Amino acid sequence: MQVAPFYRTGLIVLLVGGIIPVPVRALLTFDEGHDQLFATGSFSMAYDTNIGANRFAQADMIYSAGAGLEYSRRAGIISVDASTGMSVSRFNKTTSDDFSDPHLQTEFSAKDDRTTTDLTLNAARQSEADIVSGVRAVSWDYAAGLDTSYRVTDRYSLSSILGYTLKDFVKEPGLANLTSYNAGLSLAYTIDSARDLFMGYNFGLQETSHNTSFDNHSFNVGIEGKILPKLKGTVSIGYELEVPHGSTDHGTGSMTDAVDLAWNFSRRLKIAANLSQNFSATSTTGSVNTLAASLDAAFSLDSKTSLTSGVGGGYSRFIGAVSAGRRDTDFTWNAGVSHTINDHFTTSLGYTHYENWSTASLSDFIRNTISLALSMRF
C-alpha cells in the first residue's frame, strides 16, 4: 500500500515544522488589531472497515488533506467570523469515492445593552455514507439562520429564530433532496444570575423533492444555566406533532426533549451528557423519530496532552408506508488522545466503534474506524 506522494510530503513537512517553536500570532493583523486572518491546514489517514455504512460495504484506507482561511473582526457592537477552505480525500482501493469538498461559513453578530442578533450563512459540499439509504452520497448543503434576543426587562427576555436548510444530492438520483424551514419564539424568565426558565414554540416545514412534506409543531419548557453546582447546560421537555402531506400517512406525535449538560468534575476531568428526541425527514422520502443519548469525557494529563472517551446510542422509529415499519437501534463508543506540539500544531489519534441493528437488512452493520491526524493554524 503506497501513500500518495502529495500526502507523504505534507506529513513530513508538518512533522518537521511541528517541533519548531513559533510565537502565537495571526497570519495577518490589520486595522489596529481589530481584523485577523488565520491559515489552517490538516493531514490525516484513517482505516475504515465499512466505508458505505451498509452490511456489504468494504474496508479501505483513506488519506485526507485540508487547507483554509479564517477571518475574524471585533470592532464596536458588530463582529464577523468567516472561514473557507477545501478538504480532499483519496481512497486506496475505491478510487471512485475520491472527493474534493469546498466549504464556506460566515457569522455576523451585533450586540447592544438589550438586543443580540446573529446571522449565519453556510455552504458546503459533503461526501459521506448515508446510513438511512446505505450508500455513499454527495450533496451540496446550504444553511441560513437568524437568531435574535431582546431583553424586555431585567427578568424577561424574548428570542426568535428563523432558519433554512437545503440538502441537494448530486450523485444519487434515487435520494430525495431535503429542504427545511423553521421559525420559533420563546420567552425566558431570569430566576437568578445563574439560571433562566424558558418556554417556547417552534414551527418547521420539511419538504422532499419527491413531492412529500411534513409540518412540525413543537412546544417546550426548560431551564438553562447552572442546574446544580458544577453542572451547567440546558434541560427542556415538550411535545412535537408531525403532520405529513403528499401521502396517505397520518399525523403522529411524540415527546420531545433536549438535554445538554457539562460537568466540571475537577480541573482536569470534564464530562458532557446529551439526550435528544425529535422528528426529521429522510432522504428516502419518509420521516424518522429518533431518541439519542451520549456521554463524553475529557481528561487532561497535562497542559498539552488530553485523553477523550465517549459512549452513545439511539433508537430510530421510521414513519410512513414507505418505511415499511423500519426500526434501527445503534450503539457507539470512542477513545482518543490529542497532543499539542506547539501553539500552531496539534496531533491526534482516535478509534470509533459503531454498530447499527436494523430491521432493514442492508442497514444492519458494524463499522470500526481508526484515524491519525495532524492539524495546524497560523
Side-chain angles (χ1 to χ4, degrees):
M1 183 181 300
Q2 297 294 322
V3 181
F6 170 73
Y7 297 104
R8 183 174 59 237
T9 302
L11 286 170
I12 293 173
V13 169
L14 285 183
L15 285 170
V16 173
I19 62 176
I20 302 175
V22 286
V24 178
R25 63 178 182 272
L27 181 67
L28 291 175
T29 301
F30 42 98
D31 192 14
E32 299 181 346
H34 294 303
D35 298 77
Q36 292 184 311
L37 184 67
F38 295 88
T40 62
S42 64
F43 288 89
S44 68
M45 58 180 67
Y47 180 72
D48 191 339
T49 64
N50 192 314
I51 62 173
N54 68 70
R55 69 182 307 171
F56 303 113
Q58 63 177 315
D60 208 344
M61 195 77 184
I62 307 166
Y63 305 98
S64 303
L69 292 173
E70 297 178 359
Y71 169 76
S72 176
R73 175 176 173 80
R74 300 289 184 271
I77 65 172
I78 298 176
S79 61
V80 180
D81 292 284
S83 65
T84 186
M86 174 78 74
S87 59
V88 179
S89 287
R90 295 294 180 259
F91 290 73
N92 185 60
K93 294 185 293 186
T94 56
T95 56
S96 60
D97 289 323
D98 292 350
F99 62 82
S100 302
D101 290 346
H103 68 270
L104 172 65
Q105 299 173 318
T106 58
E107 180 179 4
F108 304 90
S109 301
K111 183 177 182 180
D112 59 22
D113 293 338
R114 288 185 174 272
T115 306
T116 300
T117 302
D118 287 292
L119 173 65
T120 57
L121 301 169
N122 302 316
R125 191 176 188 266
Q126 296 284 346
S127 303
E128 58 189 0
D130 181 41
I131 295 176
V132 174
S133 61
V135 301
R136 288 197 65 86
V138 179
S139 66
W140 280 98
D141 294 0
Y142 307 93
L146 178 64
D147 297 352
T148 303
S149 177
Y150 176 73
R151 181 161 291 280
V152 182
T153 67
D154 290 340
R155 287 192 175 270
Y156 289 95
S157 62
L158 288 171
S159 60
S160 63
I161 59 171
L162 294 172
Y164 165 83
T165 65
L166 169 63
K167 192 174 189 68
D168 184 7
F169 291 100
V170 297
K171 282 186 64 176
E172 293 293 335
L175 299 182
N177 299 333
L178 303 174
T179 306
S180 69
Y181 310 86
N182 72 288
L185 181 66
S186 64
L187 172 67
Y189 172 76
T190 300
I191 301 173
D192 53 39
S193 60
R195 59 185 62 85
D196 292 339
L197 180 69
F198 64 88
M199 61 184 300
Y201 165 76
N202 188 82
F203 170 77
L205 170 62
Q206 300 180 77
E207 299 177 328
T208 78
S209 57
H210 292 178
N211 298 319
T212 58
S213 63
F214 306 88
D215 291 342
N216 294 88
H217 304 271
S218 177
F219 306 85
N220 65 84
V221 60
I223 188 170
E224 181 179 20
K226 182 183 289 185
I227 309 301
L228 293 171
K230 293 188 177 182
L231 186 66
K232 296 181 180 181
T234 302
V235 177
S236 72
I237 189 170
Y239 185 81
E240 185 174 6
L241 175 66
E242 181 183 73
V243 181
H245 302 282
S247 70
T248 59
D249 299 329
H250 300 289
T252 184
S254 171
M255 295 293 293
T256 179
D257 48 68
V259 178
D260 193 359
L261 300 174
W263 183 24
N264 295 329
F265 183 81
S266 67
R267 185 174 59 87
R268 291 188 173 187
L269 179 60
K270 315 296 182 185
I271 300 175
N274 181 272
L275 175 69
S276 63
Q277 183 174 8
N278 52 50
F279 288 97
S280 61
T282 70
S283 58
T284 55
T285 73
S287 67
V288 60
N289 181 253
T290 300
L291 172 65
S294 64
L295 183 65
D296 298 282
F299 181 78
S300 299
L301 294 176
D302 51 42
S303 60
K304 291 189 174 183
T305 306
S306 62
L307 303 176
T308 59
S309 184
V311 62
Y315 176 74
S316 297
R317 178 171 59 93
F318 291 79
I319 301 166
V322 68
S323 301
R326 176 178 170 179
R327 300 290 184 267
D328 281 19
T329 303
D330 65 85
F331 170 78
T332 184
W333 71 272
N334 64 81
V337 57
S338 63
H339 178 72
T340 300
I341 301 172
N342 58 31
D343 294 322
H344 295 291
F345 292 83
T346 301
T347 184
S348 62
L349 175 67
Y351 168 78
T352 300
H353 171 84
Y354 180 87
E355 190 161 358
N356 194 66
W357 298 271
S358 177
T359 57
S361 59
L362 181 66
S363 297
D364 198 274
F365 67 93
I366 298 175
R367 186 179 190 181
N368 294 289
T369 307
I370 185 168
S371 60
L372 175 65
L374 192 63
S375 60
M376 65 177 181
R377 186 170 187 263
F378 290 94

